[in-house]
Amino acid sequence: GQNIDQPTEMTATEGAIVQINCTYQTSGFNGLFWYQQHAGEAPTFLSYNVLDGLEEKGRFSSFLSRSKGYSYLLLKELQMKDSASYLCAVKGGDYKLSFGAGTTVTVRA
Amino acid sequence: IAGITQAPTSQILAAGRRMTLRCTQDMRHNAMYWYRQDLGLGLRLIHYSNTAGTTGKGEVPDGYSVSRANTDDFPLTLASAVPSQTSVYFCASSKGTENSPLHFGNGTRLTVT
């Protein structure tokens, strides 16, 4: 089975940086994805990591350490529109994508 | 605009009734998926299809069935709804390659009373 853990909630100030951690224990590994989901909407793809290291996409970066079963999503220069849930998802050895419960980020002015 | 269309948007259903949630994609993606999302549990995979004509069971398949007669359509059927099937259901598709992300529909909010 898959076990994916991430914090339930985080709060940060507009303009600040927030780091959302994700730890996982899976049967095999074929990549880690981060999704953003605004309340009442569908999840949308943010990033993909399959090799160790940092992937940067504008204000968002994602890091992976396969040996530690660990990833983080870094959100820089926070904006009010970044208030959302952030979902960590791991593609296991069976190539199925399993999701963590999500981290709700609240950005305050 | 290319994407995934789910219908209905929301539905209230009496327990014991049969219900089919519809999902259509126009991106010619090979793989399609059904997830349910419940508070505190995240998205859980119900059934999936890697290509037209094939289907497989996910993490929580009991009480649900799917078919994949063609590339575009992937309906999810609840044969006899129960209150525990109250949830938000998301259909998704992907190219099916290792690094291809899922594209989600807007979801169906189902309440079983």
Side-chain angles (χ1 to χ4, degrees):
Chain A
Q2 324 287 40
N3 188 25
I4 301 168
D5 289 316
Q6 49 181 131
T8 304
E9 294 180 329
M10 301 182 75
T11 301
T13 305
E14 195 174 15
I17 298 173
V18 69
Q19 178 175 314
I20 306 169
N21 296 324
C22 172
T23 58
Y24 62 89
Q25 293 174 306
T26 58
S27 302
F29 179 82
N30 283 296
L32 187 143
F33 296 78
W34 284 96
Y35 286 82
Q36 180 189 59
Q37 185 177 24
H38 285 101
E41 298 183 8
T44 56
F45 169 70
L46 286 178
S47 69
Y48 169 75
N49 296 71
V50 69
L51 299 176
D52 290 353
L54 189 67
E55 294 282 341
E56 296 187 85
K57 265 190 189 181
R59 294 188 299 112
F60 293 2
S61 303
S62 57
F63 171 84
L64 175 67
S65 169
R66 289 171 296 171
S67 63
K68 294 182 179 178
Y70 168 71
S71 172
Y72 68 72
L73 180 69
L74 196 69
L75 286 61
K76 294 177 278 190
E77 301 169 19
L78 278 172
Q79 302 176 9
M80 299 301 288
K81 67 179 181 179
D82 297 329
S83 291
S85 285
Y86 292 85
L87 315 179
C88 175
V90 177
K91 187 171 282 190
D94 57 4
Y95 292 91
K96 295 176 192 171
L97 197 61
S98 296
F99 285 80
T103 299
T104 299
V105 171
T106 301
V107 181
R108 294 191 170 152
Chain B
I1 298 176
I4 299 180
T5 303
Q6 289 185 236
T9 303
S10 64
Q11 182 76 43
I12 299 173
L13 187 68
R17 297 298 293 268
R18 180 184 179 90
M19 174 78 191
T20 295
L21 308 185
R22 300 184 298 278
C23 176
T24 300
Q25 56 106 355
D26 61 3
M27 296 177 282
R28 308 305 294 172
H29 282 171
N30 287 323
M32 296 188 75
Y33 311 84
W34 275 104
Y35 285 87
R36 60 177 289 174
Q37 187 172 38
D38 303 287
L39 197 64
L41 296 177
L43 287 156
R44 292 180 292 168
L45 182 64
I46 304 170
H47 284 288
Y48 66 94
S49 169
N50 287 330
T51 189
T54 69
T55 62
K57 294 182 180 180
E59 182 185 353
V60 288
D62 293 344
Y64 306 95
S65 63
V66 291
S67 61
R68 187 88 184 277
N70 57 60
T71 297
D72 299 343
D73 301 301
F74 191 44
L76 176 74
T77 297
L78 289 68
S80 179
V82 295
S84 62
Q85 291 178 311
T86 294
S87 187
V88 180
Y89 291 86
F90 285 100
C91 179
S93 72
S94 78
K95 292 180 181 177
T97 57
E98 189 171 287
N99 63 345
S100 54
L102 299 186
H103 298 261
F104 286 87
N106 286 329
T108 294
R109 183 173 295 276
L110 181 68
T111 302
V112 182
T113 61

